[in-house]
Each structure stands twice: as C-alpha cells, then as structure tokens.
Amino acid sequence: MRRKAYAKLTFFLHAQERKEGMLRFKNIIMPIDLFDMVYLEKSPEMVLETDKEYLPNDKRNTVYKSIMIMKKRYDIQDNFKVKIVKNIPAQSGLGGGSADAAAVINMLNDLYDLNLTSQELIDVAREIDEDTPFCLFNKPAIVEGIGDEIEILDYNMDLYYVMVKPGFGVSTKSFLKKYQHFHYDHNFDLCHEGLISQNFELMSDHMHNDFQRAISKKNSKLKKVARMLKDEGLQGVCMSGTGTTIFGLTENRDEAIRIYEKIVFDYPFVKYGRIKK
C-alpha cells in the first residue's frame, strides 16, 4: 500500500493565545504539489525505513507514533513495515512529518475498513502535532485551535510558488514553548477575503506569520532570502509555519520557472510548483 504525503504552505499564521500550556492558532493553510512517498505493508515486526540518515527510525518518528496510536485505539494486532521516501525537507515549516503521519493514519483506516469519521481521524491526528489534522484532508483550510478545528475553503485562483529553504532549521518544540507575543491581527480577515474573492493583491498583501520576525532576528539569512524573492517580483513573501522556508507567490507559471532557474543553485533547497485546490 502506498500514498503521497503532501506538504503545505501557511499563508497566514496567527498565534492567538496559550491555553492549558498549549498554543492556539488561527491559520490559513494550503496544500502544495510537493510530497513524500509512504509505503506500508504488514510485517512480523515493526520496521521503519527512511532514505534520509538524519531521520529517526524509532518511536520518535511521527509515523511510528501514529501507528502505535491506531493500534491501541482500534485493537490492531498486526505490525508493519513502513518505508518513507523523503522529498519534503526537515524543519522547513512544510509539514513533512505531519504529512507522513496523516498518510499512515488514512492508510490504516482504509486497510482495516474502519470507516472513521472526519472527527475520529482528527482525534487521532491531534495527538501527533498541530499540522497532522490538516494533512489528513489536503485541502485549503482555515485551521484553528490546536489544529483540530478545520474549515475547508473554496477558492479558484491559479497560484504558483517559489520556495527557498536555507541550510538550517528551527526546533519547533523549543520555539513554541517560549512564544508569548499574543495580539489581535485584523489582517487575517483581509487575507481570507482576498483568497475566496480571487483578489490576488488583497490576499498577498496581507499574508503574515507571527513567528517570522522572532525567527529572523536569530537568523539574518532569512531576511536576505525574503528580500531577494521580493526583488525578483514575487508577492506575499512569507515564512511557512514554524520552519525556515521562505516562499513567494505569482499567478504566472512562467514567472515562477524564471525565478526558480535563476536561484536554484544558490541555496540548498529551492522549488517551484503549484498550490493545490
């Protein structure tokens, strides 16, 4: 059994408050055409393989965690061999680990004909992290709370991205524990309105990430990447999630290709592609 595990870009990230020790968000998240491949089959024992040496192949891996949760909740006695072919870089804010976990949750749901409701799937996914519930569905959405409140969005723009990940990442857990800069942000409504009304300028002018300023202070290279993408003519230039990927948008595929070809050899990871609908 195999499945594509799609990455995501965060068009708007707003940390609203900390409640019971957990950050609560109001985000706009979009699936993109970058994906890992996840292969799953029954096995006499639990085996987890990846094609990247830096990834853990034990209980620290989100895929291992998701399998253990599903086995316990739904009395699944089988063990599994899982192979993950990674295309989504780690610590990038693109949701790679979350996407892999979501793919396995969906595969086990199908393999055992569990017929879980959307809420039951979310209840499993939110035990992994705040992005895994979104990755279950891979559709544009407003995501609130601890990632478990999902409102699917209907939009009809053709949007292309160019993304750059410098050669360093951010430890999400350590960063989130320290974050305290809560405020009201009316720009969320404007970004949302632009997206659903197909007003590219309104949407891109109000894209935002609450974490970007704090992370950029510690990593000046992020500012340089953002400035470069803006100078090349991309709009809505923003950091995705809590990672270090900086991306920008255009409505013109040829423009995305031009920028990609110009900068592809300047950074460890550069990609262009299309926002999924």
Side-chain angles (χ1 to χ4, degrees), residues 12 14 26-28 142 185-193 206:
F12 203 103
H14 178 43
K26 187 171 185 180
N27 302 339
I28 296 174
I142 295 175
D185 198 328
H186 68 279
N187 287 331
F188 179 93
D189 295 331
L190 296 173
C191 182
H192 175 229
E193 179 184 343
H206 294 92

Coordinates of all heavy atoms in Angstrom, one line a residue, residues 12 14 26-28 142 185-193 206:
F12 N -1.2 32.3 6.3 CA -1.3 33.2 7.5 C -1.2 32.4 8.7 O -1.9 31.4 8.9 CB -2.7 33.9 7.4 CG -2.8 35.2 8.2 CD1 -2.7 36.4 7.6 CD2 -2.9 35.1 9.6 CE1 -2.8 37.6 8.3 CE2 -2.9 36.3 10.3 CZ -2.8 37.5 9.7
H14 N -1.4 32.9 12.8 CA -1.6 33.8 13.9 C -1.8 33.0 15.2 O -2.7 32.1 15.3 CB -2.9 34.6 13.7 CG -3.3 35.5 14.8 ND1 -2.4 36.3 15.5 CD2 -4.5 35.7 15.4 CE1 -3.0 36.9 16.4 NE2 -4.3 36.6 16.4
K26 N -4.9 30.5 14.6 CA -5.9 30.8 13.6 C -5.1 31.0 12.3 O -4.6 32.0 12.1 CB -6.8 32.0 13.9 CG -8.0 32.1 12.9 CD -8.9 33.2 13.3 CE -10.1 33.3 12.4 NZ -11.1 34.3 12.8
N27 N -5.1 29.9 11.5 CA -4.2 29.9 10.3 C -4.9 29.7 9.0 O -6.0 29.1 9.0 CB -3.1 28.8 10.5 CG -2.3 28.9 11.7 OD1 -2.2 30.0 12.3 ND2 -1.7 27.8 12.2
I28 N -4.3 30.1 7.9 CA -4.8 29.7 6.6 C -3.7 28.9 6.0 O -2.5 29.3 5.9 CB -5.0 30.9 5.7 CG1 -6.2 31.8 6.3 CG2 -5.4 30.5 4.3 CD1 -6.4 33.1 5.5
I142 N -9.0 27.0 6.7 CA -8.8 27.7 8.0 C -8.6 26.7 9.1 O -9.5 25.8 9.2 CB -9.9 28.7 8.3 CG1 -10.0 29.8 7.3 CG2 -9.7 29.3 9.7 CD1 -11.2 30.7 7.5
D185 N -5.0 40.4 15.3 CA -4.5 40.7 13.9 C -5.6 40.8 12.9 O -6.1 39.7 12.5 CB -3.4 39.7 13.5 CG -2.6 40.3 12.3 OD1 -3.1 41.0 11.5 OD2 -1.4 39.9 12.2
H186 N -6.1 42.0 12.5 CA -7.2 42.1 11.6 C -6.8 41.7 10.2 O -7.7 41.5 9.4 CB -7.7 43.5 11.6 CG -6.8 44.5 11.0 ND1 -5.7 45.0 11.8 CD2 -6.7 45.1 9.8 CE1 -5.0 45.9 11.0 NE2 -5.6 45.9 9.8
N187 N -5.5 41.6 9.9 CA -5.1 41.3 8.5 C -5.6 39.9 8.1 O -5.6 39.6 6.9 CB -3.6 41.4 8.4 CG -3.2 42.8 8.4 OD1 -3.9 43.7 8.0 ND2 -1.9 43.1 8.9
F188 N -5.9 39.0 9.1 CA -6.3 37.7 8.8 C -7.6 37.8 7.9 O -7.7 37.1 6.9 CB -6.7 36.9 10.1 CG -7.2 35.5 9.8 CD1 -6.3 34.4 9.7 CD2 -8.5 35.3 9.6 CE1 -6.8 33.1 9.5 CE2 -9.0 34.0 9.3 CZ -8.2 33.0 9.2
D189 N -8.5 38.6 8.3 CA -9.8 38.7 7.6 C -9.6 39.2 6.1 O -10.2 38.8 5.2 CB -10.8 39.7 8.3 CG -11.2 39.1 9.6 OD1 -11.2 37.9 9.8 OD2 -11.5 39.9 10.6
L190 N -8.6 40.1 6.0 CA -8.3 40.6 4.6 C -7.6 39.6 3.8 O -8.0 39.5 2.6 CB -7.4 41.9 4.8 CG -8.1 43.1 5.5 CD1 -7.0 44.2 5.7 CD2 -9.3 43.6 4.7
C191 N -6.7 38.8 4.3 CA -6.1 37.7 3.6 C -7.1 36.7 3.2 O -7.2 36.2 2.0 CB -5.0 37.1 4.4 SG -4.1 35.8 3.6
H192 N -8.0 36.3 4.1 CA -9.1 35.4 3.8 C -10.0 35.9 2.7 O -10.4 35.2 1.8 CB -9.8 35.1 5.1 CG -11.0 34.2 4.9 ND1 -12.3 34.5 5.4 CD2 -11.1 33.0 4.3 CE1 -13.1 33.6 5.1 NE2 -12.5 32.6 4.4
E193 N -10.4 37.1 2.9 CA -11.3 37.7 1.9 C -10.7 37.7 0.5 O -11.3 37.4 -0.5 CB -11.7 39.2 2.3 CG -12.6 39.9 1.3 CD -12.8 41.3 1.6 OE1 -12.6 41.7 2.8 OE2 -13.3 42.1 0.8
H206 N -1.6 40.8 2.5 CA -1.9 40.6 3.9 C -1.5 39.3 4.4 O -2.0 38.9 5.5 CB -3.4 40.9 4.2 CG -3.8 42.3 3.9 ND1 -4.3 42.8 2.7 CD2 -3.7 43.4 4.7 CE1 -4.5 44.1 2.8 NE2 -4.2 44.5 4.0

